[in-house]
Amino acid sequence: MSLDFEGRMSYGDYLKLDMLLDAQKPLSDKQDETLFIIVHHVQELWLRLIIHELEFAMRNLRENKAGLAFKALARVSAVQEQLVTAWDVLSTMTPSDYMTFRDCLGQASGFQSYQYRLVEILLGAKDARMLAPHRHKPEIHARLEVAFKGPSIYDESIALVSRSGFDVPNDLLERDFSTNHEFSEALRDIWLQVYRDPERYFELYELAEELVDVEDRFQQWRFRHMKTVERIIGYKKGTGGSSGVGFLKTALDRTFFPELWAVRTEL
């Protein structure tokens, strides 16, 4: 076992721990602000990994390498479980605890997380208004805009379905990707064929289930976020000016892959 690291890379050097641990800088002397910062730092790190894996999955779907995409999507689902449980840790903070330092946040809000916004965009949520909070950061805004104008992972999946021999409507393949995908009965019926004969179409069947896993866990994360906010601040407005719990509840009604959910009713 090496004990002398003079001139050699150590564990802390490799992970840049000095930089990472120096990032927690509370603006108050209140006990729970450190908890608040660390939970959000951890969530941002997990979001970074989700983006990394989603982009990898999309590239491989585009290149007909579905197996590699499946592995990445399975990892996304596993990471999402960590995001969900992070709310359990934050929920140990009481309303009184939070109010001791809430004023320190100013207008800062999780609503402004560009990584969360990028995950939503990659999954297919296209709302141009959501790019506005990032205009003051040109590099970040540019990255979001590229993803916004490009295909989502569902668009890449639909393209793979078409290349697999199914008669996918052209308006689903050649469309303005900066708009939200609209429910298609024709696409639902194609997925229905896949689900009725999973052995014949196993690759597409597996893809559909991986996508459903991702959306299922994403909705669980949204729900736990909403309930944590409700538990801590009730129905107060969010620090960034949103309606808080009310805004978060509206997100629970939105879906990324509507045909994959509709198939369940038709089977």
Side-chain angles (χ1 to χ4, degrees):
M1 181 175 65
S2 298
L3 298 176
D4 183 3
F5 286 92
E6 184 68 32
R8 300 166 63 191
M9 183 173 66
S10 68
Y11 172 82
D13 296 332
Y14 176 71
L15 294 177
K16 304 292 189 291
L17 285 183
D18 289 345
M19 182 187 305
L20 180 65
L21 299 179
D22 193 47
Q24 291 81 50
K25 295 185 181 297
L27 299 180
S28 74
D29 60 357
K30 305 307 179 184
Q31 172 73 14
D32 286 70
E33 190 181 358
T34 297
L35 161 72
F36 188 83
I37 292 172
I38 289 176
V39 167
H40 285 83
H41 275 171
V42 167
Q43 294 216 31
E44 288 293 334
L45 287 171
W46 283 131
L47 287 170
R48 183 171 187 178
L49 182 55
I50 286 175
I51 292 164
H52 179 71
E53 297 298 335
L54 282 176
E55 291 178 336
F56 178 82
M58 291 169 68
R59 286 196 303 272
N60 281 282
L61 287 175
R62 204 174 300 132
E63 297 171 5
N64 298 317
K65 299 175 182 176
L68 291 175
F70 297 161
K71 180 179 179 181
L73 289 172
R75 183 173 292 164
V76 168
S77 294
V79 172
Q80 288 174 304
E81 291 182 9
Q82 301 301 312
L83 283 171
V84 172
T85 58
W87 295 122
D88 294 337
V89 180
L90 191 60
S91 292
T92 64
M93 182 174 64
T94 69
S96 298
D97 295 331
Y98 182 51
M99 293 309 295
T100 62
F101 67 87
R102 190 187 191 215
D103 287 347
C104 295
L105 302 181
Q107 294 296 303
S109 167
F111 171 80
Q112 299 149 10
S113 167
Y114 84 86
Q115 291 200 125
Y116 172 78
R117 196 63 56 207
L118 182 53
V119 169
E120 278 201 328
I121 290 171
L122 294 175
L123 291 176
K126 304 294 181 78
D127 185 342
R129 296 172 301 172
M130 298 305 177
L131 303 185
H134 308 287
R135 288 196 183 117
H136 67 295
K137 297 279 189 178
E139 290 184 9
I140 289 173
H141 188 268
R143 185 180 184 190
L144 290 173
E145 197 167 36
V146 168
F148 186 82
K149 293 179 179 178
S152 70
I153 193 164
Y154 197 39
D155 291 313
E156 296 291 2
S157 300
I158 293 169
L160 180 62
V161 170
S162 177
R163 293 195 300 272
S164 299
F166 286 95
D167 187 18
V168 175
N170 197 57
D171 62 350
L172 294 179
L173 299 170
E174 298 180 8
R175 69 180 193 86
D176 179 1
F177 292 124
S178 67
T179 62
N180 286 312
H181 167 81
E182 297 290 339
F183 177 81
S184 164
E185 289 187 1
L187 182 58
R188 178 204 59 196
D189 291 344
I190 289 172
W191 284 120
L192 195 55
Q193 292 181 58
V194 170
Y195 271 81
R196 283 178 171 159
D197 196 352
E199 291 187 9
R200 180 180 180 184
Y201 304 115
F202 186 76
E203 186 174 86
L204 295 180
Y205 177 73
E206 177 70 14
L207 172 59
E209 285 298 287
E210 293 287 356
L211 291 174
V212 168
D213 282 346
V214 168
E215 178 158 3
D216 188 1
R217 286 175 173 81
F218 194 85
Q219 290 290 56
Q220 291 177 39
W221 185 84
R222 278 174 164 169
F223 179 78
R224 287 292 292 121
H225 184 190
M226 182 270 292
K227 294 305 292 184
T228 300
V229 171
E230 183 178 9
R231 174 174 177 159
I232 295 174
I233 68 168
Y235 280 77
K236 292 185 182 73
K237 281 190 175 182
T239 48
S242 77
S243 59
V245 170
F247 174 79
L248 295 172
K249 281 186 174 180
T250 63
L252 295 173
D253 295 326
R254 297 195 293 268
T255 182
F256 301 115
F257 320 128
E259 294 83 5
L260 297 181
W261 294 99
V263 159
R264 271 96 179 133
T265 304
E266 302 297 328
L267 281 172

